[in-house]
Amino acid sequence: MERDTTVMTGYNYGELCDDLLVETLSRLPVKSLMRLRCVSRSWFSLVKDPKFICKHLTRGDHNRLMVYNQYFIDTYPVDDFVVVPDNTMTDLHFQNFEAAETRNYILLGPYEGIMCLSEKWNRNKINVWNISMNEYRILPEPPRPRNGVSGSRPSNTVISCCNFAVGLDPMSNDFKLVLIQTLHDERGISSINDCLPNVAVYNFSTNSWRHVEEGLFPMGCYLGGEAMNNVYHNGFCYWVAPTETPCDYVAILSFSMSEEVFQEMRGPRVPPITEQIEFEYWTIGVHDDYLSLLHVEESRRSFGLWMMKGGFWTKHLSFGPFIEWYHPDGFWRNGEFILESYGGAGDCRLVLYDSNHDEIREFGITG
């Protein structure tokens, strides 16, 4: 037993029996792993190992679609968490999760299954919530935006919105949370580039934050809304980042989880849509293990799927036109995409589009 403890704590793949154990456990659902971690200290260490967690996430055998939905009853907002238990999406019946008390928080996510809760009246109070495992963590306050030597927020600015991302640092083998706080000039005289965001990185293993220098954030990128579309892929987090001036390409903000530096990259060149309506034209995700963008085309009834291959964007797929207007909400797998109908307040519907069979199916979720 002592030998097993030594080997598994170090997550050693050197012997066949250990390979088989890791492979077997990685195929189990999370609830089974939570029970099995009590078998021994070595199994507990394995289940908590970030490398094993990443392997379990990548397999996707037990991934479930989780939707955070908000609707109103007599002008009172109601938060709802919906889980589609069938990972094949053959059956789109869903289950409701019992939501915690959230009226004092802004909920963002989920990011790799993690919800981030930011207090409405103090945006530096941040909690993380793993709904599937029902684990909740109150984070220490992130470092404040710096203003010279004082370390205080620049004068006349407030935190207007927050964006997060969660992913694995492949060098340190630790999970990290990236926080981007967009600052707003209360006087209304500053442009986007005059108020650089406050950026900090939280390390889950050390329960601590590190401030990222303002000069490392690309000029011209602006995350001006809550929970801007993002994805984690191969050690990097990516956001679709609107630019201050209109252009014929989409700007993408990337962040290296190992080096903790930002970089701006260009998305595919597409005809710009100039109508100013509340409509999301892009969603970023992973398709066939490539960074990908799903784009609403100019008619707003058709879509194009672009994939980053060999450093170049290639249009992989087009589908539509549809009778209704849809905007893209997310990627599933095997050529399936989650779309949302464009309706008035409380009149949107969630659908699943299967590009292999050119079929749309209703989730039965509105909000």
Side-chain angles (χ1 to χ4, degrees):
M1 191 64 182
E2 180 65 32
R3 170 189 168 278
D4 176 60
T5 301
T6 303
V7 170
M8 292 312 299
T9 300
Y11 199 177
N12 191 326
Y13 289 101
E15 299 190 22
L16 179 60
C17 59
D18 300 322
D19 285 340
L20 289 176
L21 178 61
V22 170
E23 188 65 26
T24 301
L25 293 180
S26 70
R27 295 172 181 265
L28 298 178
V30 172
K31 288 185 178 180
S32 298
L33 291 175
M34 293 303 99
R35 292 194 297 267
L36 290 173
R37 66 180 176 176
C38 301
V39 170
S40 68
R41 283 181 296 177
S42 62
W43 284 32
F44 182 88
S45 298
L46 173 64
V47 170
K48 287 291 189 179
D49 191 300
K51 189 175 180 182
F52 175 81
I53 294 172
C54 193
K55 178 181 178 67
H56 188 268
L57 285 171
T58 303
R59 287 194 59 88
D61 293 341
H62 299 281
N63 281 356
R64 298 293 183 263
L65 176 66
M66 181 168 68
V67 180
Y68 165 50
N69 185 28
Q70 185 179 77
Y71 54 93
F72 292 85
I73 298 179
D74 295 330
T75 71
Y76 184 80
V78 178
D79 296 315
D80 199 12
F81 294 96
V82 174
V83 173
V84 181
D86 178 17
N87 69 320
T88 66
M89 295 295 202
T90 303
D91 183 357
L92 294 185
H93 288 95
F94 56 86
Q95 301 171 348
N96 287 336
F97 263 65
E98 183 178 350
E101 178 59 57
T102 58
R103 71 179 65 182
N104 295 322
Y105 292 90
I106 296 173
L107 276 72
L108 305 174
Y111 310 104
E112 300 292 336
I114 302 294
M115 293 296 298
C116 295
L117 290 79
S118 176
E119 192 173 291
K120 290 180 180 178
W121 319 120
N122 183 353
R123 304 308 299 273
N124 285 309
K125 288 188 176 181
I126 300 167
N127 306 327
V128 291
W129 180 21
N130 186 323
I131 297 178
S132 297
M133 295 171 59
N134 198 25
E135 290 186 356
Y136 195 86
R137 181 184 292 192
I138 300 174
L139 305 189
E141 283 205 10
R144 302 273 179 162
R146 297 179 181 178
N147 183 18
V149 295
S150 66
S152 62
R153 182 182 303 140
S155 59
N156 301 306
T157 61
V158 295
I159 299 172
S160 61
C161 61
C162 296
N163 280 275
F164 297 90
V166 173
L168 179 71
D169 177 350
M171 298 296 292
S172 66
N173 204 31
D174 288 328
F175 276 94
K176 295 179 177 179
L177 180 146
V178 184
L179 165 66
I180 304 176
Q181 294 176 326
T182 300
L183 305 181
H184 172 68
D185 186 342
E186 290 185 296
R187 299 167 300 176
I189 61 175
S190 294
S191 67
I192 287 173
N193 292 331
D194 289 333
C195 292
L196 288 175
N198 179 50
V199 181
V201 177
Y202 172 79
N203 191 305
F204 278 87
S205 64
T206 63
N207 190 33
S208 62
W209 292 93
R210 192 186 81 82
H211 184 263
V212 176
E213 296 297 329
E214 288 87 349
L216 298 179
F217 195 88
M219 299 292 287
C221 287
Y222 179 64
L223 300 182
E226 303 280 8
M228 298 293 288
N229 191 244
N230 75 78
V231 69
Y232 169 82
H233 183 55
N234 291 342
F236 289 81
C237 293
Y238 300 92
W239 292 263
V240 175
T243 55
E244 188 171 19
T245 56
C247 55
D248 62 350
Y249 66 89
V250 62
I252 299 173
L253 184 66
S254 71
F255 182 80
S256 168
M257 299 299 265
S258 298
E259 300 177 2
E260 296 186 356
V261 295
F262 287 97
Q263 184 176 356
E264 182 184 354
M265 58 185 292
R266 289 193 173 196
R269 301 183 72 89
V270 295
I273 299 176
T274 56
E275 288 187 53
Q276 298 298 313
I277 60 173
E278 188 177 344
F279 196 84
E280 298 293 334
Y281 298 105
W282 297 93
T283 190
I284 192 166
V286 177
H287 183 77
D288 286 344
D289 203 34
Y290 291 100
L291 181 68
S292 302
L293 282 161
L294 186 62
H295 169 240
V296 178
E297 297 183 337
E298 196 167 7
S299 66
R300 295 198 300 278
R301 301 184 190 276
S302 301
F303 290 83
L305 176 66
W306 296 77
M307 301 170 64
M308 171 62 79
K309 292 185 176 182
F312 298 95
W313 288 102
T314 303
K315 192 171 187 179
H316 175 71
L317 176 70
S318 294
F319 57 89
F322 300 111
I323 296 176
E324 293 185 84
W325 286 0
Y326 292 102
H327 66 79
D329 265 6
F331 289 66
W332 189 235
R333 52 186 163 190
N334 302 324
E336 295 174 315
F337 305 97
I338 301 160
L339 310 177
E340 184 178 335
S341 67
Y342 180 68
D347 191 30
C348 298
R349 302 180 347 272
L350 206 63
V351 302
L352 181 73
Y353 174 73
D354 184 347
S355 64
N356 300 303
H357 301 95
D358 192 24
E359 178 184 63
I360 281 186
R361 289 183 290 152
E362 298 274 352
F363 280 95
I365 301 172
T366 60

